[in-house]
Amino acid sequence: MRVVIVDDEPLARERLRRLLSEFPGYEIVGEAGDGEAALEIVDNEEPDLVLLDIRMGGIDGLQVARQLAEYDPPPAIIFTTAYSEHALSAFDANADAYLLKPIRVEKLKEALLRARRPTRAQKSPAAAGPGTGERPKREHILATTREGLVRIPVEDIVYFLADQKYTTVCHLHGEVLIEESLKTLEDDFSPWFLRIHRKALVATRFIASLERERGGEQHHWLKMKHASKPLPVSRRRLAEVRRFLTDG
């Protein structure tokens, strides 16, 4: 499982790193000292599990957890805190476990077992990857516009881009908004589409190129044919995108 550690105390993050090293199968893919940085790392790394402190400056851990609950799919969350009075609020925020500091290795082991979920790779229908020639479950989407109900063939869709409760559908003749989740769209339109970010699902036939942003952090973007703006590629999905461009 891919893990992100969030705590405003460097020593607390170091202790969690040390404790996690005793358990095989866990990879720490990022650390954050505040809520804003945590959300940015989760966006880019798409971890399976977040070890999350509650009391932090700015956005606290409870607010972070509520935002993560809206992700598709959401990561598992284990709260780590020195304050027992937050337990009820933590479980209201969809926490999988709640650990009081100082954290003991036995308690961490129990929490990891409770939070263990199938990874995205295990849950995805990988056997039918892009380019297999299989047909999607449905061949169009319906969207309500000012002109009424429109039907858009899947062959015309360039990408889906999620933003909270709505999903933008970019197609050859414009854009529309729908309320379907990317998970549903990914399931229905596989293997013609490739997930490149938790917010983005693209039609493989319209992929133009993969580009790296110069300077600063190593962000990658995917250019699409018939689209004016590039789409972000998360670090977690980068290897899969590169593999598709090489083999597909």
Side-chain angles (χ1 to χ4, degrees), residues 164-187:
Q164 296 183 358
K165 70 174 293 188
Y166 292 104
T167 297
T168 297
V169 183
C170 174
H171 58 93
L172 296 180
H173 310 289
E175 292 185 355
V176 295
L177 292 177
I178 60 175
E179 294 189 31
E180 294 187 69
S181 72
L182 281 193
K183 181 65 173 65
T184 299
L185 295 166
E186 186 177 17
D187 289 344

PDB file of all heavy atoms in Angstrom, residues 164-187:
ATOM      1  N   GLN A 164     -15.582  18.118  -8.141  1.00  0.00           N
ATOM      2  CA  GLN A 164     -16.592  17.965  -7.097  1.00  0.00           C
ATOM      3  C   GLN A 164     -17.768  17.138  -7.631  1.00  0.00           C
ATOM      4  O   GLN A 164     -17.561  16.034  -8.097  1.00  0.00           O
ATOM      5  CB  GLN A 164     -17.004  19.328  -6.555  1.00  0.00           C
ATOM      6  CG  GLN A 164     -15.852  20.052  -5.869  1.00  0.00           C
ATOM      7  CD  GLN A 164     -16.240  21.371  -5.264  1.00  0.00           C
ATOM      8  OE1 GLN A 164     -17.371  21.833  -5.362  1.00  0.00           O
ATOM      9  NE2 GLN A 164     -15.285  22.005  -4.625  1.00  0.00           N
ATOM     10  N   LYS A 165     -19.001  17.666  -7.644  1.00  0.00           N
ATOM     11  CA  LYS A 165     -20.147  16.814  -7.986  1.00  0.00           C
ATOM     12  C   LYS A 165     -20.376  16.700  -9.498  1.00  0.00           C
ATOM     13  O   LYS A 165     -21.147  15.849  -9.947  1.00  0.00           O
ATOM     14  CB  LYS A 165     -21.410  17.308  -7.295  1.00  0.00           C
ATOM     15  CG  LYS A 165     -21.952  18.622  -7.808  1.00  0.00           C
ATOM     16  CD  LYS A 165     -23.291  18.970  -7.157  1.00  0.00           C
ATOM     17  CE  LYS A 165     -24.383  18.029  -7.569  1.00  0.00           C
ATOM     18  NZ  LYS A 165     -25.720  18.433  -7.124  1.00  0.00           N
ATOM     19  N   TYR A 166     -19.724  17.555 -10.294  1.00  0.00           N
ATOM     20  CA  TYR A 166     -19.946  17.517 -11.736  1.00  0.00           C
ATOM     21  C   TYR A 166     -18.712  16.989 -12.470  1.00  0.00           C
ATOM     22  O   TYR A 166     -17.586  17.076 -11.989  1.00  0.00           O
ATOM     23  CB  TYR A 166     -20.289  18.916 -12.268  1.00  0.00           C
ATOM     24  CG  TYR A 166     -21.626  19.430 -11.796  1.00  0.00           C
ATOM     25  CD1 TYR A 166     -21.707  20.390 -10.795  1.00  0.00           C
ATOM     26  CD2 TYR A 166     -22.816  18.937 -12.335  1.00  0.00           C
ATOM     27  CE1 TYR A 166     -22.929  20.857 -10.347  1.00  0.00           C
ATOM     28  CE2 TYR A 166     -24.047  19.399 -11.891  1.00  0.00           C
ATOM     29  CZ  TYR A 166     -24.100  20.355 -10.896  1.00  0.00           C
ATOM     30  OH  TYR A 166     -25.317  20.796 -10.448  1.00  0.00           O
ATOM     31  N   THR A 167     -18.960  16.453 -13.659  1.00  0.00           N
ATOM     32  CA  THR A 167     -17.895  15.996 -14.538  1.00  0.00           C
ATOM     33  C   THR A 167     -18.046  16.680 -15.886  1.00  0.00           C
ATOM     34  O   THR A 167     -19.123  16.642 -16.488  1.00  0.00           O
ATOM     35  CB  THR A 167     -17.936  14.468 -14.723  1.00  0.00           C
ATOM     36  OG1 THR A 167     -17.721  13.825 -13.451  1.00  0.00           O
ATOM     37  CG2 THR A 167     -16.878  13.994 -15.710  1.00  0.00           C
ATOM     38  N   THR A 168     -16.963  17.315 -16.345  1.00  0.00           N
ATOM     39  CA  THR A 168     -16.971  17.937 -17.671  1.00  0.00           C
ATOM     40  C   THR A 168     -16.671  16.885 -18.723  1.00  0.00           C
ATOM     41  O   THR A 168     -15.715  16.108 -18.586  1.00  0.00           O
ATOM     42  CB  THR A 168     -15.910  19.052 -17.752  1.00  0.00           C
ATOM     43  OG1 THR A 168     -16.233  20.078 -16.804  1.00  0.00           O
ATOM     44  CG2 THR A 168     -15.864  19.657 -19.147  1.00  0.00           C
ATOM     45  N   VAL A 169     -17.491  16.868 -19.762  1.00  0.00           N
ATOM     46  CA  VAL A 169     -17.267  15.978 -20.898  1.00  0.00           C
ATOM     47  C   VAL A 169     -16.797  16.843 -22.056  1.00  0.00           C
ATOM     48  O   VAL A 169     -17.554  17.655 -22.591  1.00  0.00           O
ATOM     49  CB  VAL A 169     -18.551  15.227 -21.294  1.00  0.00           C
ATOM     50  CG1 VAL A 169     -18.251  14.258 -22.436  1.00  0.00           C
ATOM     51  CG2 VAL A 169     -19.148  14.509 -20.100  1.00  0.00           C
ATOM     52  N   CYS A 170     -15.534  16.684 -22.443  1.00  0.00           N
ATOM     53  CA  CYS A 170     -15.005  17.387 -23.610  1.00  0.00           C
ATOM     54  C   CYS A 170     -15.142  16.459 -24.816  1.00  0.00           C
ATOM     55  O   CYS A 170     -14.593  15.352 -24.812  1.00  0.00           O
ATOM     56  CB  CYS A 170     -13.553  17.776 -23.377  1.00  0.00           C
ATOM     57  SG  CYS A 170     -12.740  18.514 -24.815  1.00  0.00           S
ATOM     58  N   HIS A 171     -15.876  16.909 -25.827  1.00  0.00           N
ATOM     59  CA  HIS A 171     -16.074  16.068 -27.012  1.00  0.00           C
ATOM     60  C   HIS A 171     -15.742  16.883 -28.263  1.00  0.00           C
ATOM     61  O   HIS A 171     -15.370  18.063 -28.183  1.00  0.00           O
ATOM     62  CB  HIS A 171     -17.491  15.503 -27.037  1.00  0.00           C
ATOM     63  CG  HIS A 171     -18.572  16.526 -27.026  1.00  0.00           C
ATOM     64  ND1 HIS A 171     -19.156  17.025 -28.167  1.00  0.00           N
ATOM     65  CD2 HIS A 171     -19.173  17.171 -25.979  1.00  0.00           C
ATOM     66  CE1 HIS A 171     -20.085  17.914 -27.836  1.00  0.00           C
ATOM     67  NE2 HIS A 171     -20.115  18.026 -26.528  1.00  0.00           N
ATOM     68  N   LEU A 172     -15.874  16.271 -29.412  1.00  0.00           N
ATOM     69  CA  LEU A 172     -15.431  16.902 -30.656  1.00  0.00           C
ATOM     70  C   LEU A 172     -16.208  18.156 -31.015  1.00  0.00           C
ATOM     71  O   LEU A 172     -15.749  18.969 -31.821  1.00  0.00           O
ATOM     72  CB  LEU A 172     -15.527  15.888 -31.811  1.00  0.00           C
ATOM     73  CG  LEU A 172     -14.608  14.662 -31.708  1.00  0.00           C
ATOM     74  CD1 LEU A 172     -14.799  13.758 -32.903  1.00  0.00           C
ATOM     75  CD2 LEU A 172     -13.153  15.075 -31.564  1.00  0.00           C
ATOM     76  N   HIS A 173     -17.365  18.349 -30.394  1.00  0.00           N
ATOM     77  CA  HIS A 173     -18.210  19.482 -30.769  1.00  0.00           C
ATOM     78  C   HIS A 173     -18.457  20.448 -29.614  1.00  0.00           C
ATOM     79  O   HIS A 173     -19.328  21.319 -29.715  1.00  0.00           O
ATOM     80  CB  HIS A 173     -19.546  18.970 -31.323  1.00  0.00           C
ATOM     81  CG  HIS A 173     -19.385  17.923 -32.382  1.00  0.00           C
ATOM     82  ND1 HIS A 173     -18.909  18.204 -33.649  1.00  0.00           N
ATOM     83  CD2 HIS A 173     -19.597  16.575 -32.363  1.00  0.00           C
ATOM     84  CE1 HIS A 173     -18.845  17.087 -34.357  1.00  0.00           C
ATOM     85  NE2 HIS A 173     -19.255  16.087 -33.603  1.00  0.00           N
ATOM     86  N   GLY A 174     -17.698  20.297 -28.511  1.00  0.00           N
ATOM     87  CA  GLY A 174     -17.861  21.214 -27.395  1.00  0.00           C
ATOM     88  C   GLY A 174     -17.720  20.528 -26.045  1.00  0.00           C
ATOM     89  O   GLY A 174     -17.041  19.504 -25.922  1.00  0.00           O
ATOM     90  N   GLU A 175     -18.382  21.084 -25.033  1.00  0.00           N
ATOM     91  CA  GLU A 175     -18.331  20.542 -23.681  1.00  0.00           C
ATOM     92  C   GLU A 175     -19.724  20.528 -23.069  1.00  0.00           C
ATOM     93  O   GLU A 175     -20.544  21.392 -23.350  1.00  0.00           O
ATOM     94  CB  GLU A 175     -17.406  21.377 -22.787  1.00  0.00           C
ATOM     95  CG  GLU A 175     -15.937  21.296 -23.139  1.00  0.00           C
ATOM     96  CD  GLU A 175     -15.054  22.047 -22.145  1.00  0.00           C
ATOM     97  OE1 GLU A 175     -15.627  22.705 -21.229  1.00  0.00           O
ATOM     98  OE2 GLU A 175     -13.821  21.969 -22.262  1.00  0.00           O
ATOM     99  N   VAL A 176     -19.972  19.532 -22.199  1.00  0.00           N
ATOM    100  CA  VAL A 176     -21.209  19.464 -21.423  1.00  0.00           C
ATOM    101  C   VAL A 176     -20.858  19.016 -20.010  1.00  0.00           C
ATOM    102  O   VAL A 176     -19.764  18.488 -19.766  1.00  0.00           O
ATOM    103  CB  VAL A 176     -22.245  18.487 -22.039  1.00  0.00           C
ATOM    104  CG1 VAL A 176     -22.729  18.977 -23.391  1.00  0.00           C
ATOM    105  CG2 VAL A 176     -21.650  17.076 -22.141  1.00  0.00           C
ATOM    106  N   LEU A 177     -21.771  19.225 -19.079  1.00  0.00           N
ATOM    107  CA  LEU A 177     -21.607  18.773 -17.706  1.00  0.00           C
ATOM    108  C   LEU A 177     -22.562  17.623 -17.421  1.00  0.00           C
ATOM    109  O   LEU A 177     -23.725  17.650 -17.846  1.00  0.00           O
ATOM    110  CB  LEU A 177     -21.889  19.913 -16.716  1.00  0.00           C
ATOM    111  CG  LEU A 177     -20.898  21.079 -16.694  1.00  0.00           C
ATOM    112  CD1 LEU A 177     -21.387  22.140 -15.721  1.00  0.00           C
ATOM    113  CD2 LEU A 177     -19.510  20.607 -16.300  1.00  0.00           C
ATOM    114  N   ILE A 178     -22.061  16.606 -16.718  1.00  0.00           N
ATOM    115  CA  ILE A 178     -22.896  15.500 -16.271  1.00  0.00           C
ATOM    116  C   ILE A 178     -22.613  15.253 -14.789  1.00  0.00           C
ATOM    117  O   ILE A 178     -21.658  15.796 -14.240  1.00  0.00           O
ATOM    118  CB  ILE A 178     -22.639  14.214 -17.091  1.00  0.00           C
ATOM    119  CG1 ILE A 178     -21.170  13.775 -16.958  1.00  0.00           C
ATOM    120  CG2 ILE A 178     -23.007  14.410 -18.550  1.00  0.00           C
ATOM    121  CD1 ILE A 178     -20.854  12.450 -17.635  1.00  0.00           C
ATOM    122  N   GLU A 179     -23.430  14.428 -14.140  1.00  0.00           N
ATOM    123  CA  GLU A 179     -23.263  14.157 -12.711  1.00  0.00           C
ATOM    124  C   GLU A 179     -22.750  12.752 -12.435  1.00  0.00           C
ATOM    125  O   GLU A 179     -22.750  12.301 -11.300  1.00  0.00           O
ATOM    126  CB  GLU A 179     -24.586  14.394 -11.974  1.00  0.00           C
ATOM    127  CG  GLU A 179     -25.027  15.851 -11.990  1.00  0.00           C
ATOM    128  CD  GLU A 179     -26.204  16.107 -11.081  1.00  0.00           C
ATOM    129  OE1 GLU A 179     -26.329  15.417 -10.054  1.00  0.00           O
ATOM    130  OE2 GLU A 179     -27.008  16.998 -11.398  1.00  0.00           O
ATOM    131  N   GLU A 180     -22.290  12.051 -13.458  1.00  0.00           N
ATOM    132  CA  GLU A 180     -21.757  10.705 -13.256  1.00  0.00           C
ATOM    133  C   GLU A 180     -20.327  10.775 -12.717  1.00  0.00           C
ATOM    134  O   GLU A 180     -19.557  11.668 -13.067  1.00  0.00           O
ATOM    135  CB  GLU A 180     -21.767   9.929 -14.572  1.00  0.00           C
ATOM    136  CG  GLU A 180     -23.155   9.641 -15.114  1.00  0.00           C
ATOM    137  CD  GLU A 180     -23.093   8.722 -16.317  1.00  0.00           C
ATOM    138  OE1 GLU A 180     -22.747   7.543 -16.119  1.00  0.00           O
ATOM    139  OE2 GLU A 180     -23.383   9.187 -17.428  1.00  0.00           O
ATOM    140  N   SER A 181     -19.962   9.810 -11.875  1.00  0.00           N
ATOM    141  CA  SER A 181     -18.616   9.765 -11.317  1.00  0.00           C
ATOM    142  C   SER A 181     -17.638   9.178 -12.330  1.00  0.00           C
ATOM    143  O   SER A 181     -18.019   8.417 -13.231  1.00  0.00           O
ATOM    144  CB  SER A 181     -18.599   8.920 -10.043  1.00  0.00           C
ATOM    145  OG  SER A 181     -18.742   7.545 -10.362  1.00  0.00           O
ATOM    146  N   LEU A 182     -16.358   9.524 -12.165  1.00  0.00           N
ATOM    147  CA  LEU A 182     -15.338   8.959 -13.042  1.00  0.00           C
ATOM    148  C   LEU A 182     -15.243   7.448 -12.891  1.00  0.00           C
ATOM    149  O   LEU A 182     -14.935   6.742 -13.847  1.00  0.00           O
ATOM    150  CB  LEU A 182     -13.972   9.587 -12.749  1.00  0.00           C
ATOM    151  CG  LEU A 182     -13.685  10.976 -13.318  1.00  0.00           C
ATOM    152  CD1 LEU A 182     -12.203  11.279 -13.190  1.00  0.00           C
ATOM    153  CD2 LEU A 182     -14.128  11.117 -14.755  1.00  0.00           C
ATOM    154  N   LYS A 183     -15.506   6.948 -11.671  1.00  0.00           N
ATOM    155  CA  LYS A 183     -15.445   5.495 -11.456  1.00  0.00           C
ATOM    156  C   LYS A 183     -16.482   4.786 -12.330  1.00  0.00           C
ATOM    157  O   LYS A 183     -16.185   3.774 -12.975  1.00  0.00           O
ATOM    158  CB  LYS A 183     -15.696   5.180  -9.978  1.00  0.00           C
ATOM    159  CG  LYS A 183     -15.621   3.686  -9.645  1.00  0.00           C
ATOM    160  CD  LYS A 183     -14.207   3.168  -9.863  1.00  0.00           C
ATOM    161  CE  LYS A 183     -14.055   1.737  -9.374  1.00  0.00           C
ATOM    162  NZ  LYS A 183     -14.869   0.767 -10.125  1.00  0.00           N
ATOM    163  N   THR A 184     -17.710   5.315 -12.369  1.00  0.00           N
ATOM    164  CA  THR A 184     -18.753   4.727 -13.210  1.00  0.00           C
ATOM    165  C   THR A 184     -18.371   4.817 -14.678  1.00  0.00           C
ATOM    166  O   THR A 184     -18.511   3.844 -15.438  1.00  0.00           O
ATOM    167  CB  THR A 184     -20.091   5.435 -12.975  1.00  0.00           C
ATOM    168  OG1 THR A 184     -20.473   5.268 -11.611  1.00  0.00           O
ATOM    169  CG2 THR A 184     -21.180   4.870 -13.873  1.00  0.00           C
ATOM    170  N   LEU A 185     -17.878   5.983 -15.098  1.00  0.00           N
ATOM    171  CA  LEU A 185     -17.496   6.168 -16.499  1.00  0.00           C
ATOM    172  C   LEU A 185     -16.334   5.256 -16.873  1.00  0.00           C
ATOM    173  O   LEU A 185     -16.315   4.679 -17.963  1.00  0.00           O
ATOM    174  CB  LEU A 185     -17.127   7.633 -16.729  1.00  0.00           C
ATOM    175  CG  LEU A 185     -18.280   8.631 -16.559  1.00  0.00           C
ATOM    176  CD1 LEU A 185     -17.742  10.052 -16.479  1.00  0.00           C
ATOM    177  CD2 LEU A 185     -19.289   8.505 -17.694  1.00  0.00           C
ATOM    178  N   GLU A 186     -15.368   5.118 -15.969  1.00  0.00           N
ATOM    179  CA  GLU A 186     -14.227   4.240 -16.222  1.00  0.00           C
ATOM    180  C   GLU A 186     -14.680   2.792 -16.388  1.00  0.00           C
ATOM    181  O   GLU A 186     -14.220   2.071 -17.286  1.00  0.00           O
ATOM    182  CB  GLU A 186     -13.221   4.365 -15.079  1.00  0.00           C
ATOM    183  CG  GLU A 186     -11.925   3.611 -15.303  1.00  0.00           C
ATOM    184  CD  GLU A 186     -10.930   3.838 -14.174  1.00  0.00           C
ATOM    185  OE1 GLU A 186     -11.347   4.302 -13.089  1.00  0.00           O
ATOM    186  OE2 GLU A 186      -9.740   3.547 -14.373  1.00  0.00           O
ATOM    187  N   ASP A 187     -15.594   2.352 -15.531  1.00  0.00           N
ATOM    188  CA  ASP A 187     -16.102   0.983 -15.621  1.00  0.00           C
ATOM    189  C   ASP A 187     -16.871   0.761 -16.924  1.00  0.00           C
ATOM    190  O   ASP A 187     -16.733  -0.275 -17.574  1.00  0.00           O
ATOM    191  CB  ASP A 187     -17.010   0.676 -14.429  1.00  0.00           C
ATOM    192  CG  ASP A 187     -16.240   0.551 -13.129  1.00  0.00           C
ATOM    193  OD1 ASP A 187     -15.009   0.404 -13.185  1.00  0.00           O
ATOM    194  OD2 ASP A 187     -16.875   0.611 -12.057  1.00  0.00           O
TER     195      ASP A 187
END
